[in-house]
Amino acid sequence: MRTINVGLLGCGTVGSGVVKLFQEHPDLLDRRVGAKLRIRKVAVRSAPRVPVDAKLLTKEAMEVVRDPQIDIIVELIGGTDVAKALCLEAVANGKHLVTANKALLAEHGLEIYRAAAEKRVDLGFEASVCGAIPIIRSVKEGLVANRILSIMGIVNGTTNYILTKMTESSQAFASVLAEAQAKGYAEADPTLDVGGGDAAHKLQILASLAYGGYIRFSDIYIEGIQKIEAVDIAFARELGYRIKLLAIAKQEQGELEVRVHPTMIPEAHLLASVGGVYNAVHIRGDSCGSLMFSGRGAGQMPTASSVVADIVEIAHNIVFHRPSHASLLPTSAVGSEITLRPMERITSGYYLRVMAMDKPGVLSKVSGVLGEHNISIASMIQKGRDEAAAVPIVMLTHQAVEGDMRRALQKINALDVIAQETMCIRVEGVED
Ligand code: HSE
């Protein structure tokens, strides 16, 4: 039996999980690969969190990616500068590469995909999107016969936890975030999660694969959940909806929309029931219909499960002399870059919470502005009466064009009867 050697870069949370998997079922992995799969080197800056044979440890990551004995490099150090240099050097040295680094692929993927294609090496990145959920393989292989009509995903566990808690406890965003940080569910600096950047990284990778081209990360519209108030969650519930941070990609009249923002979805939608830190991706294909994948999107062993799946697949390719990069490289993304439909031209339903003085004629002013901008109201609630203060007027609209909505909101917010900026949340999933 031949031996396939793996070099691990980083042995933090996920790296330790990978080591544990190798230690826990070596025979199982060897049988599945058809070779002896061994971790040959582990590059670390500090002591690993699991027992690792001291002979394998090194501080010199560059030496690991250049080691002629190593077949597969597994990059788990994160970040985009050092990680990129190491990944490109590994590929230049003919190593197959596995990475869980979504930021690296989303922001510099084209360079890495092209380098891997040129050197004819495999690139595995299942762990970069939704942890344990085999969504990359499903899109690349299981759904390959489909034209993908839409992808809607809850791809960030931190924000899903926060929104679920806000829904269950009626607490404000800031207090739930503080609680999540205390429990270790949210980072000390939560910006990437709550601001939607992490979800956008994952969407860039998934949508580039699904739609057969490279999507520039900077073209993705990103809006986080920081402005969502407990009152909006309560109104959404009353109207039969839930608020989720959704990563959305859909093909509309030959154009692709790719966006991340808080979204109201009907409570009967499959995604509405995915709570806590769980992730889920809902895909509509022209042949397969609607499918939903759900599971743990982060954490040590769920993410390690996907990393090791990539290692095993690449090792299997080596053993059976399959041409490298035949199965794991996102060949579609190596091709052309995709121009996205500008956000101004997308259409969506909208939830509006207008904070208005409760005076005669207010409603006709607001609905007049909406009407002038081709926006039709589907339903409305006004709660309470307070002649001295602003009261919320909540509306759901029919499908409207984003540009019309933005212009209408500017006019509504400028009315003298409006006390604060109008809350606007897009509504999706009604047709699913
Ligand atoms: N911070 C991410 C999340 C996990 O909350 O889902 C890693 O992408």
Side-chain angles (χ1 to χ4, degrees), residues 177-244:
L177 172 61
E179 202 181 296
Q181 285 171 314
K183 287 185 176 164
Y185 293 156
E187 304 276 348
D189 178 359
T191 319
L192 198 58
D193 290 315
V194 301
D198 175 78
H201 282 149
K202 295 165 185 167
L203 183 61
Q204 190 281 342
I205 297 168
L206 205 50
S208 292
L209 280 178
Y211 292 100
Y214 192 77
I215 294 161
R216 282 176 294 273
F217 181 70
S218 55
D219 288 352
I220 300 177
Y221 175 81
I222 308 173
E223 188 184 310
I225 64 165
Q226 304 94 320
K227 285 203 293 197
I228 301 294
E229 293 185 26
V231 65
D232 299 305
I233 302 236
F235 277 125
R237 287 192 73 150
E238 191 171 333
L239 291 159
Y241 289 81
R242 294 288 179 273
I243 299 177
K244 298 286 184 187

Side-chain angles (χ1 to χ4, degrees), residues 102 128 155-159 185 187 193 198 202 277 279 297-299:
K102 56 206 139 272
S128 66
V155 296
N156 181 269
T158 306
T159 45
Y185 293 156
E187 304 276 348
D193 290 315
D198 175 78
K202 295 165 185 167
V277 295
N279 281 193

Side-chain angles (χ1 to χ4, degrees), residues 24-44:
E24 278 167 17
H25 12 264
D27 298 342
L28 184 81
L29 295 179
D30 288 356
R31 268 203 316 278
R32 288 182 176 166
V33 169
K36 286 186 201 154
L37 196 55
R38 298 290 176 266
I39 294 179
R40 200 48 78 195
K41 281 272 184 296
V42 182
V44 285

Side-chain angles (χ1 to χ4, degrees), residues 121-160:
V121 295
D122 273 339
L123 176 61
F125 52 100
E126 185 64 73
S128 66
V129 181
C130 295
I133 305 173
I135 192 67
I136 298 291
R137 266 188 189 72
S138 300
V139 169
K140 278 191 347 192
E141 297 170 21
L143 302 178
V144 73
N146 286 263
R147 207 160 57 80
I148 303 296
L149 306 175
S150 67
I151 299 176
M152 291 210 296
I154 297 171
V155 296
N156 181 269
T158 306
T159 45
N160 203 34

